[in-house]
């Protein structure tokens, strides 16, 4: 069994997240997508909505589960007995922060490995913040978010 955790804020979920979920679920026997409460970020969507969005888009993938955790990722991975953490990597800008996080996590628990999956070139520009900015200004986010969550995201900004 190759189990992995894909953590993030998912505030809200985008096609970039879904792409990482689909590709990871193909190479892992089980994937847990975890909404991780980030004390540095004030979320726009509450945790329940983020979990609902993830459940809606991961429904078709039988080896994918959705979870929530508040605390240190490394503690969560240990509790779940999972030793692989998947992170998506977009541009150089993601690298420095993710590099630091991966090294710190390695220091905290060397048994847990962080694996980086390169973004799909179609979504390399895509982030939750961009989606929020466009939606808040009444722009069309159809091509940026999975259809199952489109209305939920739009109605948050009405
Ligand atoms: P964001 O960085 O957009 O605020 P999250 O914290 O929810 O999003 O990101 C969760 C994970 O998904 C991170 O590993 C992040 O690098 C990755 N990710 C986010 N958007 C993309 C994308 N467009 N392509 C690949 N990976 C992505």
């Amino acid at each position: 069994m190759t189990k992995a955790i894909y953590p993030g804020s998912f505030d809200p979920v985008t096609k970039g997240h879904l792409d990482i979920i689909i590709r990871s679920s193909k190479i892992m026997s089980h994937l847990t997508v975890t909404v991780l409460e980030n004390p540095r970020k004030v979320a726009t969507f509450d945790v329940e909505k983020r979990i609902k969005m993830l459940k809606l888009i991961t429904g078709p993938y039988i080896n994918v589960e959705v979870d929530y955790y508040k605390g240190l990722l490394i503690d969560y991975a240990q509790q779940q007995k999972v030793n692989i953490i998947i992170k998506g990597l977009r541009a150089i800008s993601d690298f420095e922060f993710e590099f630091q996080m991966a090294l710190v996590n390695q220091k905290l628990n060397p048994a847990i490995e962080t694996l980086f999956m390169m973004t799909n070139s179609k979504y390399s520009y895509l982030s939750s913040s961009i989606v929020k900015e466009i939606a808040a200004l009444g722009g069309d986010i159809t091509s940026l978010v999975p259809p199952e969550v489109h209305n939920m995201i739009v109605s948050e900004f009405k």
Side-chain angles (χ1 to χ4, degrees):
M1 281 279 275
T2 324
K3 292 184 183 180
I5 293 166
Y6 174 43
S9 312
F10 306 107
D11 184 42
V13 350
T14 69
K15 283 192 176 176
H17 293 132
L18 180 59
D19 181 72
I20 299 285
I21 293 171
I22 295 172
R23 287 161 60 206
S24 308
S25 73
K26 285 183 185 155
I27 55 172
M28 297 293 161
S29 50
H30 189 269
L31 181 73
T32 308
V33 184
T34 306
V35 175
L36 205 63
E37 192 125 353
N38 184 341
R40 280 175 292 104
K41 288 186 189 170
V42 179
T44 304
F45 293 82
D46 61 37
V47 169
E48 287 70 27
K49 283 182 185 150
R50 286 182 275 158
I51 291 174
K52 188 176 173 191
M53 285 190 270
L54 284 170
K55 285 193 170 161
L56 282 170
I57 64 162
T58 58
Y61 308 97
I62 51 164
N63 63 338
V64 178
E65 183 191 358
V66 177
D67 197 12
Y68 161 78
Y69 189 72
K70 187 176 184 179
L72 265 184
L73 175 59
I74 217 77
D75 290 341
Y76 172 70
Q78 216 164 324
Q79 273 174 31
Q80 299 295 308
K81 298 186 172 44
V82 174
N83 60 1
I84 301 174
I85 293 167
I86 305 260
K87 291 291 188 90
L89 259 197
R90 281 161 296 190
I92 321 267
S93 50
D94 273 343
F95 182 80
E96 203 170 335
F97 178 72
E98 294 295 354
F99 180 60
Q100 187 182 20
M101 289 305 295
L103 293 189
V104 166
N105 286 338
Q106 198 178 70
K107 188 95 188 153
L108 294 175
N109 187 343
I112 297 173
E113 293 288 355
T114 306
L115 297 188
F116 291 97
M117 185 166 275
M118 207 52 75
T119 184
N120 183 320
S121 59
K122 283 195 286 191
Y123 306 126
S124 60
Y125 61 89
L126 192 49
S127 68
S128 298
S129 334
I130 285 286
V131 168
K132 283 188 276 192
E133 245 172 81
I134 297 173
L137 296 169
D140 183 6
I141 56 164
T142 312
S143 60
L144 311 178
V145 301
E148 298 88 341
V149 298
H150 176 273
N151 290 350
M152 255 183 93
I153 298 174
V154 170
S155 48
E156 190 74 21
F157 293 93
K158 274 186 182 152

